[in-house]
């Protein structure tokens, strides 16, 4: 799957309530990658995705979860990548894949450590 070309617009830039740079492009690519990953996993293949930054995890993990609800993930990184568009200071999507995929798993108003 090839990433989409950069848009000529604002690129899904920041707004007062949503700070995710290039979110439309990353989202489109994640949907394509999720579909491809799911199709390979459903026929017993081991999908291996190599990419430029961690934002590709949105697609690969979403595809694996669709194919195998009991999948486990080992995340090895210097950062947790748990930001969301609503709490990210930088708006960089590579810091958000786990935050976006796990959003809603923690009751509102509670932190992960509570």
């Amino acid at each position: 799957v090839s990433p989409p070309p950069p848009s000529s617009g604002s690129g899904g830039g920041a707004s007062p309530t949503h700070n995710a740079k290039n979110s439309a492009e990353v989202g489109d690519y994640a949907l394509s990658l999720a579909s491809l990953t799911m199709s390979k996993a459903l026929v017993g293949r081991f999908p291996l995705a190599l990419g430029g930054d961690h934002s590709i995890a949105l697609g690969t993990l979403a595809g694996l979860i669709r194919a195998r609800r009991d999948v486990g993930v080992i995340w090895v990184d210097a950062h947790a990548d748990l930001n969301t568009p609503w709490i990210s200071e930088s708006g960089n999507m590579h810091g958000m894949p786990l935050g976006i995929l796990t959003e809603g798993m923690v009751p509102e108003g509670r932190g992960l450590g509570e």
Side-chain angles (χ1 to χ4, degrees), residues 67-92:
R68 301 182 184 137
R69 299 294 296 175
D70 62 345
V71 70
V73 175
I74 299 172
W75 191 266
V76 180
D77 190 351
H79 309 99
D81 295 338
L82 285 168
N83 282 313
T84 66
W86 298 271
I87 64 171
S88 173
E89 292 181 13
S90 71
N92 293 324

